[in-house]
PDB file of all heavy atoms in Angstrom:
ATOM      1  N   GLN A  14     119.253  54.440 115.856  1.00 98.00           N
ATOM      2  CA  GLN A  14     120.215  53.566 116.517  1.00 98.00           C
ATOM      3  C   GLN A  14     119.918  52.109 116.182  1.00 98.00           C
ATOM      4  O   GLN A  14     118.763  51.693 116.285  1.00 98.00           O
ATOM      5  CB  GLN A  14     120.098  53.719 118.030  1.00 98.00           C
ATOM      6  CG  GLN A  14     120.602  55.031 118.539  1.00 98.00           C
ATOM      7  CD  GLN A  14     120.848  54.944 120.037  1.00 98.00           C
ATOM      8  OE1 GLN A  14     121.767  54.266 120.496  1.00 98.00           O
ATOM      9  NE2 GLN A  14     120.021  55.619 120.788  1.00 98.00           N
ATOM     10  N   GLY A  22     106.324  53.040 116.764  1.00 98.00           N
ATOM     11  CA  GLY A  22     106.641  54.421 117.153  1.00 98.00           C
ATOM     12  C   GLY A  22     107.719  55.008 116.249  1.00 98.00           C
ATOM     13  O   GLY A  22     107.594  56.142 115.776  1.00 98.00           O
ATOM     14  N   ASN A  23     108.760  54.222 115.978  1.00 98.00           N
ATOM     15  CA  ASN A  23     109.818  54.695 115.072  1.00 98.00           C
ATOM     16  C   ASN A  23     109.218  55.046 113.709  1.00 98.00           C
ATOM     17  O   ASN A  23     109.572  56.046 113.094  1.00 98.00           O
ATOM     18  CB  ASN A  23     110.888  53.613 114.840  1.00 98.00           C
ATOM     19  CG  ASN A  23     111.611  53.186 116.091  1.00 98.00           C
ATOM     20  OD1 ASN A  23     111.700  52.001 116.392  1.00 98.00           O
ATOM     21  ND2 ASN A  23     112.135  54.135 116.847  1.00 98.00           N
ATOM     22  N   TYR A 130     126.591  62.018 124.194  1.00 98.00           N
ATOM     23  CA  TYR A 130     125.736  61.554 123.090  1.00 98.00           C
ATOM     24  C   TYR A 130     125.153  62.721 122.278  1.00 98.00           C
ATOM     25  O   TYR A 130     125.212  62.730 121.046  1.00 98.00           O
ATOM     26  CB  TYR A 130     124.619  60.693 123.709  1.00 98.00           C
ATOM     27  CG  TYR A 130     123.615  60.079 122.772  1.00 98.00           C
ATOM     28  CD1 TYR A 130     123.534  58.690 122.601  1.00 98.00           C
ATOM     29  CD2 TYR A 130     122.696  60.857 122.064  1.00 98.00           C
ATOM     30  CE1 TYR A 130     122.603  58.121 121.762  1.00 98.00           C
ATOM     31  CE2 TYR A 130     121.765  60.299 121.222  1.00 98.00           C
ATOM     32  CZ  TYR A 130     121.720  58.927 121.070  1.00 98.00           C
ATOM     33  OH  TYR A 130     120.791  58.374 120.229  1.00 98.00           O
ATOM     34  N   ASP A 137     126.467  64.857 113.737  1.00 98.00           N
ATOM     35  CA  ASP A 137     125.827  64.139 112.621  1.00 98.00           C
ATOM     36  C   ASP A 137     125.095  65.123 111.716  1.00 98.00           C
ATOM     37  O   ASP A 137     125.215  65.092 110.496  1.00 98.00           O
ATOM     38  CB  ASP A 137     124.762  63.145 113.140  1.00 98.00           C
ATOM     39  CG  ASP A 137     125.312  62.045 114.020  1.00 98.00           C
ATOM     40  OD1 ASP A 137     126.522  61.769 113.945  1.00 98.00           O
ATOM     41  OD2 ASP A 137     124.512  61.448 114.787  1.00 98.00           O
ATOM     42  N   GLY A 149     110.983  61.919 115.868  1.00 98.00           N
ATOM     43  CA  GLY A 149     109.851  61.883 116.789  1.00 98.00           C
ATOM     44  C   GLY A 149     110.042  62.918 117.888  1.00 98.00           C
ATOM     45  O   GLY A 149     111.117  63.525 118.030  1.00 98.00           O
ATOM     46  N   ASP A 151     110.521  62.712 120.994  1.00 97.00           N
ATOM     47  CA  ASP A 151     111.532  62.478 122.042  1.00 97.00           C
ATOM     48  C   ASP A 151     112.893  63.089 121.707  1.00 97.00           C
ATOM     49  O   ASP A 151     113.749  63.192 122.587  1.00 97.00           O
ATOM     50  CB  ASP A 151     111.697  60.962 122.311  1.00 97.00           C
ATOM     51  CG  ASP A 151     112.155  60.201 121.075  1.00 97.00           C
ATOM     52  OD1 ASP A 151     111.860  60.634 119.945  1.00 97.00           O
ATOM     53  OD2 ASP A 151     112.827  59.172 121.246  1.00 97.00           O
ATOM     54  N   GLN A 152     113.093  63.491 120.442  1.00 97.00           N
ATOM     55  CA  GLN A 152     114.402  64.051 120.060  1.00 97.00           C
ATOM     56  C   GLN A 152     114.440  65.576 120.115  1.00 97.00           C
ATOM     57  O   GLN A 152     115.439  66.200 119.748  1.00 97.00           O
ATOM     58  CB  GLN A 152     114.800  63.579 118.658  1.00 97.00           C
ATOM     59  CG  GLN A 152     114.940  62.067 118.542  1.00 97.00           C
ATOM     60  CD  GLN A 152     116.008  61.517 119.478  1.00 97.00           C
ATOM     61  OE1 GLN A 152     117.108  62.067 119.580  1.00 97.00           O
ATOM     62  NE2 GLN A 152     115.686  60.448 120.190  1.00 97.00           N
ATOM     63  N   ALA A 186     103.505  61.618 117.177  1.00 97.00           N
ATOM     64  CA  ALA A 186     104.912  62.005 117.315  1.00 97.00           C
ATOM     65  C   ALA A 186     105.550  61.323 118.520  1.00 97.00           C
ATOM     66  O   ALA A 186     106.776  61.285 118.646  1.00 97.00           O
ATOM     67  CB  ALA A 186     105.027  63.514 117.473  1.00 97.00           C
ATOM     68  N   VAL A 188     104.561  57.817 120.240  1.00 98.00           N
ATOM     69  CA  VAL A 188     103.713  56.637 120.424  1.00 98.00           C
ATOM     70  C   VAL A 188     104.086  56.019 121.768  1.00 98.00           C
ATOM     71  O   VAL A 188     105.273  55.885 122.093  1.00 98.00           O
ATOM     72  CB  VAL A 188     103.919  55.638 119.258  1.00 98.00           C
ATOM     73  CG1 VAL A 188     103.143  54.360 119.503  1.00 98.00           C
ATOM     74  CG2 VAL A 188     103.499  56.290 117.941  1.00 98.00           C
ATOM     75  N   MET A 198     106.837  54.188 123.796  1.00 96.00           N
ATOM     76  CA  MET A 198     107.159  52.890 123.199  1.00 96.00           C
ATOM     77  C   MET A 198     108.647  52.908 122.861  1.00 96.00           C
ATOM     78  O   MET A 198     109.127  53.852 122.236  1.00 96.00           O
ATOM     79  CB  MET A 198     106.327  52.651 121.929  1.00 96.00           C
ATOM     80  CG  MET A 198     106.495  51.275 121.332  1.00 96.00           C
ATOM     81  SD  MET A 198     105.455  50.973 119.852  1.00 96.00           S
ATOM     82  CE  MET A 198     103.846  50.702 120.557  1.00 96.00           C
ATOM     83  N   LYS A 200     112.474  50.721 121.879  1.00 87.00           N
ATOM     84  CA  LYS A 200     113.119  49.527 121.325  1.00 87.00           C
ATOM     85  C   LYS A 200     113.699  48.660 122.429  1.00 87.00           C
ATOM     86  O   LYS A 200     113.844  47.465 122.268  1.00 87.00           O
ATOM     87  CB  LYS A 200     114.276  49.939 120.399  1.00 87.00           C
ATOM     88  CG  LYS A 200     113.839  50.527 119.087  1.00 87.00           C
ATOM     89  CD  LYS A 200     115.032  50.563 118.130  1.00 87.00           C
ATOM     90  CE  LYS A 200     115.166  51.903 117.455  1.00 87.00           C
ATOM     91  NZ  LYS A 200     116.389  52.624 117.689  1.00 87.00           N
TER      92      LYS A 200
HETATM   93  P1  TYM B   1     116.104  56.183 117.832  1.00 77.98           P
HETATM   94  O1  TYM B   1     116.930  55.141 117.159  1.00 77.98           O
HETATM   95  O2  TYM B   1     115.743  55.973 119.255  1.00 77.98           O
HETATM   96  O3  TYM B   1     114.727  56.356 117.076  1.00 77.98           O
HETATM   97  C1  TYM B   1     114.641  56.551 115.666  1.00 77.98           C
HETATM   98  C2  TYM B   1     113.527  57.561 115.410  1.00 77.98           C
HETATM   99  O4  TYM B   1     112.293  57.082 115.937  1.00 77.98           O
HETATM  100  C3  TYM B   1     111.683  58.073 116.744  1.00 77.98           C
HETATM  101  N1  TYM B   1     110.971  57.426 117.854  1.00 77.98           N
HETATM  102  C4  TYM B   1     109.672  57.596 118.125  1.00 77.98           C
HETATM  103  N2  TYM B   1     108.730  58.358 117.547  1.00 77.98           N
HETATM  104  C5  TYM B   1     107.477  58.299 118.065  1.00 77.98           C
HETATM  105  N3  TYM B   1     107.130  57.518 119.137  1.00 77.98           N
HETATM  106  C6  TYM B   1     108.063  56.753 119.755  1.00 77.98           C
HETATM  107  N4  TYM B   1     107.725  55.974 120.784  1.00 77.98           N
HETATM  108  C7  TYM B   1     109.398  56.770 119.245  1.00 77.98           C
HETATM  109  N5  TYM B   1     110.541  56.132 119.613  1.00 77.98           N
HETATM  110  C8  TYM B   1     111.499  56.546 118.755  1.00 77.98           C
HETATM  111  C9  TYM B   1     112.843  58.912 117.280  1.00 77.98           C
HETATM  112  O5  TYM B   1     112.410  60.211 117.639  1.00 77.98           O
HETATM  113  C10 TYM B   1     113.791  58.921 116.088  1.00 77.98           C
HETATM  114  O6  TYM B   1     113.445  59.955 115.196  1.00 77.98           O
HETATM  115  N6  TYM B   1     119.143  59.998 118.982  1.00 77.98           N
HETATM  116  C11 TYM B   1     118.433  59.332 117.884  1.00 77.98           C
HETATM  117  C12 TYM B   1     119.347  58.902 116.760  1.00 77.98           C
HETATM  118  C13 TYM B   1     120.178  59.970 116.127  1.00 77.98           C
HETATM  119  C14 TYM B   1     119.718  61.031 115.311  1.00 77.98           C
HETATM  120  C15 TYM B   1     120.888  61.725 114.912  1.00 77.98           C
HETATM  121  C16 TYM B   1     118.456  61.438 114.901  1.00 77.98           C
HETATM  122  C17 TYM B   1     121.546  60.075 116.207  1.00 77.98           C
HETATM  123  N7  TYM B   1     121.957  61.113 115.464  1.00 77.98           N
HETATM  124  C18 TYM B   1     120.809  62.883 114.100  1.00 77.98           C
HETATM  125  C19 TYM B   1     118.382  62.578 114.076  1.00 77.98           C
HETATM  126  C20 TYM B   1     119.537  63.249 113.687  1.00 77.98           C
HETATM  127  C21 TYM B   1     117.747  58.103 118.422  1.00 77.98           C
HETATM  128  O7  TYM B   1     118.150  57.543 119.398  1.00 77.98           O
HETATM  129  O8  TYM B   1     116.751  57.620 117.629  1.00 77.98           O
END
Side-chain angles (χ1 to χ4, degrees):
Q14 289 197 69
N23 299 128
Y130 181 114
D137 297 339
D151 61 332
Q152 299 300 315
V188 175
M198 186 178 283
K200 287 194 228 119

